[in-house]
Amino acid sequence: MDPGRWAKMRAFDAPLLAQVPDMISRVRRVMEGSDCQKKNALYFFQLALEHFHPYVAALLAVAGMEAIFDSSDRNNFKQKLCDCVSSSALAFPDWNSPGTAPPQFTAEELAIHLYTLRSKIAHGVNLREAAQDKSAPVDLLKLVELIPDFEKPTYAMLLCESSIYLLAEVLKTVL
């Protein structure tokens, strides 16, 4: 499992580990219950965390959000994500401050692009063609700054990593 560059900067410290027992209880409650949407979201989350290919992991993470939202299109997905975690929610957790501030990408800013990336991957479309998409153009191959002084990833890779964090926030909200 490769948690991504941002996650690798966080150590398993006491505050992080203190959250684990409550989350385990919430996950157990869902898995013992009959809410298939939440169960599917948890399965997708697990698979996304375990998958070695970042694009497939992103596809699974966005599918996990879709299991909860059951949105009709990219705009509906954006609305439901923003309603769930807030439009101003950072897509990357603020866990490395004060040493390194979190990337300032928000749920609202990334939602449609996450949905577009998922669609391109699911439908086998060349990611280079996403910039010419008539309904939601996005340059998935442009280089973006994730962490200052580190190599710049492509926007698609930033979306892949952020999809895991955003699904985690959705699950923390709905479980």
Side-chain angles (χ1 to χ4, degrees), residues 81-155:
L81 176 61
C82 291
D83 288 348
C84 183
V85 300
S86 104
S87 58
S88 62
L90 291 178
F92 292 84
D94 185 10
W95 58 27
N96 297 314
S97 292
T100 304
Q104 296 300 299
F105 299 94
T106 64
E108 180 176 31
E109 180 181 358
L110 299 183
I112 288 180
H113 296 163
L114 284 167
Y115 192 92
T116 300
L117 176 64
R118 180 216 46 100
S119 296
K120 299 303 179 199
I121 294 167
H123 298 287
V125 176
N126 186 328
L127 297 184
R128 289 179 190 87
E129 296 174 13
Q132 284 77 43
D133 187 307
K134 289 181 173 72
S135 56
V138 57
D139 184 354
L140 296 170
L141 302 179
K142 71 180 175 183
L143 298 179
V144 293
E145 184 168 292
L146 178 61
I147 304 166
D149 303 325
F150 279 75
E151 183 180 337
K152 293 180 178 184
T154 64
Y155 188 53

Side-chain angles (χ1 to χ4, degrees), residues 11-114:
F12 281 112
D13 56 9
L16 182 63
L17 293 172
Q19 299 174 38
V20 173
D22 177 59
M23 201 63 206
I24 289 173
S25 295
R26 291 159 68 185
V27 168
R28 277 194 177 139
R29 205 169 24 254
V30 168
M31 298 313 284
E32 292 167 356
S34 60
D35 188 331
C36 291
Q37 291 166 306
K38 290 179 182 174
K39 283 183 183 183
N40 286 343
L42 285 168
Y43 288 134
F44 281 127
F45 185 58
Q46 177 184 352
L47 292 169
L49 288 172
E50 292 174 350
H51 207 283
F52 66 92
H53 196 287
Y55 291 162
V56 175
L59 171 72
L60 294 165
V62 177
M65 288 182 257
E66 276 289 279
I68 298 295
F69 302 149
D70 190 25
S71 51
S72 56
D73 59 31
R74 62 178 48 95
N75 293 314
N76 189 242
F77 174 82
K78 175 182 177 181
Q79 184 63 50
K80 289 181 176 184
L81 176 61
C82 291
D83 288 348
C84 183
V85 300
S86 104
S87 58
S88 62
L90 291 178
F92 292 84
D94 185 10
W95 58 27
N96 297 314
S97 292
T100 304
Q104 296 300 299
F105 299 94
T106 64
E108 180 176 31
E109 180 181 358
L110 299 183
I112 288 180
H113 296 163
L114 284 167

